[in-house]
Amino acid sequence: MKKLLILGAGTAGTMMANHLRPKLRSNEWDVTIVDQYKTHYYQPGFLFLPFDTYTESQVKKVGKKLIHKKVNYIQKKIEKIIPNENKVQLEDETINYDVLIIATGSKIAPQETQGLLGPLWKKDIFDFYTYEGALALRNKLRDWKGGKLVVHITEMPIKCPVAPLEFAFLADSYFRKKGMRDKVDITYVTPLSGAFTKPTCSTALAYLLKEKDIHLEPDFSIMEVDNNQKAIVDYEEREIPFDLLVTVPTNMGDELIERSGLGDDLNFIPTDHNTLQSKAHENIFVIGDATDVPASKAGSVAHFQAETLTDNILLYIDGYKLKKEFDGHANCFIETGNNKALLIDFNYKTEPVHGTFPFAKIGPLRLLKESVFNHWGKLAFRWIYWNMLLKGIAIPFVSRNMSFKGKVFDIKSK
Ligand SMILES: Cc1cc2nc3c(=O)[nH]c(=O)nc-3n(C[C@H](O)[C@H](O)[C@H](O)COP(=O)(O)OP(=O)(O)OC[C@H]3O[C@@H](n4cnc5c(N)ncnc54)[C@H](O)[C@@H]3O)c2cc1C
């Protein structure tokens, strides 16, 4: 019996198990997936927990129940990958593989910033990139009386790079609804030179920040958090004071990648941008946030990658050449508050532009333009995630590679 081993049962690992098990002969291939946790979290829901929009039960399910019944599920910590022996060491056993898929994601590393884990952590400084962080922040916001709210990104890349902007927009809307917006100053602090990485999108988002009276502080490369002065300080000694700091700490791949000697400085794995094969070992494939590919670290990206990677694993097993197909396609809703959202659709080469999605002219979704319909799309994404994405069901009318239909490249012609 040959062995396909998947490391990580988050978004990408679960999708790969569900895509591949039905396509591999049961009498030839054994499929195993390993994850340290029992719970699978819907991470996009962490954005809504602090504002009491979602409850705990809406963002978590038992991981094993989401995976094909004929896949072996091992709930254990993965210690080390030994690629030269085709082995993976778990906490108390070692298992072999013929083909390995690494889907161990990325996670926050607050310890990388001086002072971040000081006395104010979880008192006046919070993250919303973890389940625990989002809940602690929710409890803080429920009773917060106002002051200086600083929403901050430490460094790129981070997963869902638009999530901190969404947090700032939703905070504006939340405090308005509570009738206390005049008591809150919101500042958005980023290491980027504008609101976002891509120029057209950055302009649209900077406009929205201004409209909502959110002050933008670009080019901020944090050196430390000064717990005594309650300020973040950058390498040019620029100081930004806060009463409440909501930060996205450095994002890194799991320490297991470092222990296995497979990653870069941030423990992301060098991966072919188009085939998703590891650059170092031909029987290892990498998907989702664990890769170093210059696509967004997003569930939607993992979904498009999973379609190409499924084909490539089957081609690899049969000895054929891999498809150089994955184009960096990302499709993300951006919540902008007041029950509205934007939609962006882009890839490695094409930045987000205006237009309609998925159909030219009729949409019904609008690109880079706020609409209530887009907000419904964002909320519907949770249902789609649990019921379609994880099961490996394609989303109707949304192709794995970015479509040019409906996109307007010359904004003046709109
Ligand atoms: C606040 C927030 C908002 C987001 N919003 C969106 C959005 O709107 N749209 C979107 O598309 N994406 C969004 N994302 C991003 C999306 O959730 C991730 O990109 C996606 O989950 C990545 O999937 P993955 O499988 O690569 O990693 P994960 O889903 O994180 O899974 C990795 C798995 O590996 C396991 N693992 C890691 N190391 C070990 C080990 N040593 N031993 C055992 N198990 C291990 C972990 O336990 C985990 O289950 C958001 C993320 C956050 C945090």
Side-chain angles (χ1 to χ4, degrees):
M1 199 71 138
K2 293 214 167 131
K3 290 187 170 149
L4 172 78
L5 178 59
I6 303 170
L7 303 183
T11 310
T14 300
M15 286 192 290
M16 287 313 296
N18 291 338
H19 269 295
L20 281 166
R21 180 61 284 181
K23 294 191 171 72
L24 293 170
R25 285 207 187 93
S26 313
N27 57 351
E28 282 178 22
W29 282 90
D30 178 87
V31 180
T32 299
I33 190 162
V34 189
D35 201 290
Q36 60 203 330
Y37 301 128
K38 194 176 164 198
T39 306
H40 181 119
Y41 292 101
Y42 173 63
Q43 296 176 42
F46 296 172
L47 173 69
F48 295 103
L49 283 177
F51 302 109
D52 269 319
T53 315
Y54 283 174
T55 59
E56 290 96 316
S57 62
Q58 287 174 309
V59 301
K60 56 181 188 173
K61 290 193 184 204
V62 175
K64 192 178 172 182
K65 289 195 178 160
L66 302 166
I67 292 167
H68 196 288
K69 283 194 177 65
K70 291 193 174 155
V71 172
N72 313 309
Y73 188 97
I74 302 180
Q75 194 202 316
K76 280 183 189 169
K77 187 166 183 229
I78 308 152
E79 295 294 346
K80 198 173 176 186
I81 301 163
I82 310 164
N84 297 332
E85 297 176 28
N86 291 344
K87 281 184 184 158
V88 171
Q89 220 173 289
L90 307 185
E91 54 191 57
D92 57 0
E93 63 174 314
T94 300
I95 45 182
N96 302 326
Y97 62 83
D98 294 285
V99 174
L100 182 70
I101 299 175
I102 306 179
T104 43
S106 74
K107 59 182 185 178
I108 60 163
Q111 70 280 5
E112 294 290 309
T113 303
Q114 196 181 324
L116 190 50
L117 292 177
L120 298 182
W121 180 244
K122 297 271 163 79
K123 287 199 179 79
D124 295 312
I125 304 178
F126 294 85
D127 82 280
F128 65 98
Y129 266 49
T130 56
Y131 178 69
E132 296 74 21
L135 288 182
L137 179 55
R138 178 193 67 185
N139 296 341
K140 175 78 181 183
L141 287 180
R142 279 178 180 170
D143 302 325
W144 196 51
K145 301 286 178 273
K148 291 187 180 69
L149 167 64
V150 172
V151 182
H152 165 252
I153 302 175
T154 303
E155 63 176 310
M156 302 303 273
I158 56 169
K159 44 187 164 186
C160 195
V162 291
L165 269 168
E166 294 181 281
F167 186 90
F169 293 143
L170 290 177
D172 165 70
S173 176
Y174 175 81
F175 292 122
R176 272 179 213 282
K177 271 191 214 133
K178 279 185 130 186
M180 57 180 283
R181 182 62 178 92
D182 57 331
K183 296 195 175 69
V184 182
D185 275 343
I186 309 179
T187 305
Y188 185 75
V189 185
T190 168
L192 300 171
S193 53
F196 194 52
T197 43
K198 323 265 176 181
T200 308
C201 190
S202 195
T203 308
L205 294 168
Y207 174 80
L208 281 176
L209 285 171
K210 204 167 169 197
E211 193 186 65
K212 292 171 195 299
D213 200 19
I214 299 170
H215 177 64
L216 173 65
E217 281 282 351
D219 299 313
F220 191 91
S221 186
I222 192 167
M223 183 177 69
E224 63 161 337
V225 179
D226 183 334
N227 281 255
N228 295 324
Q229 298 298 321
K230 283 185 95 170
I232 49 174
V233 185
D234 79 355
Y235 284 98
E236 287 167 1
E237 292 183 12
R238 189 166 31 148
E239 279 192 23
I240 300 178
F242 64 84
D243 294 304
L244 177 58
L245 175 65
V246 176
T247 187
V248 180
T250 300
N251 279 206
M252 293 180 77
D254 196 82
E255 298 83 355
L256 130 90
I257 304 302
E258 187 184 1
R259 285 195 293 273
S260 310
L262 286 173
D264 60 16
D265 291 355
L266 290 171
N267 301 341
F268 295 128
I269 305 166
T271 306
D272 185 284
H273 295 186
N274 309 108
T275 65
L276 303 172
Q277 188 175 38
S278 135
K279 286 187 177 165
H281 303 277
E282 69 159 23
N283 63 340
I284 300 185
F285 296 83
V286 196
I287 181 166
D289 295 352
T291 76
D292 75 338
V293 305
S296 277
K297 294 195 181 296
S300 68
V301 173
H303 163 74
F304 300 129
Q305 288 177 331
E307 297 189 358
T308 293
L309 186 54
T310 300
D311 292 349
N312 272 347
I313 301 256
L314 297 174
L315 289 168
Y316 174 78
I317 285 171
D318 288 338
Y320 293 110
K321 213 172 146 193
L322 305 184
K323 288 188 196 174
K324 285 191 162 288
E325 182 184 64
F326 178 64
D327 65 350
H329 188 195
N331 180 283
C332 302
F333 289 102
I334 307 176
E335 278 291 298
T336 55
N338 302 316
N339 300 330
K340 289 188 182 163
L342 298 174
L343 176 65
I344 52 175
D345 191 67
F346 58 104
N347 68 12
Y348 288 139
K349 290 192 181 140
T350 313
E351 65 160 327
V353 290
H354 292 79
T356 53
F357 185 88
F359 303 111
K361 297 205 173 89
I362 43 176
L365 301 165
R366 309 282 300 271
L367 293 169
L368 264 185
K369 201 156 180 90
E370 275 187 297
S371 79
V372 174
F373 209 76
N374 286 341
H375 167 68
W376 292 346
K378 176 92 177 184
L379 297 186
F381 187 65
R382 183 165 57 93
W383 187 91
I384 292 172
Y385 182 86
W386 292 126
N387 298 290
M388 296 179 78
L389 247 71
L390 290 181
K391 290 184 179 158
I393 300 171
I395 305 171
F397 313 115
V398 183
S399 53
R400 62 178 77 172
N401 288 110
M402 195 198 79
S403 160
F404 287 84
K405 279 185 212 149
K407 296 206 164 60
V408 179
F409 290 91
D410 176 9
I411 187 67
K412 292 191 206 86
S413 71
K414 241 177 62 85

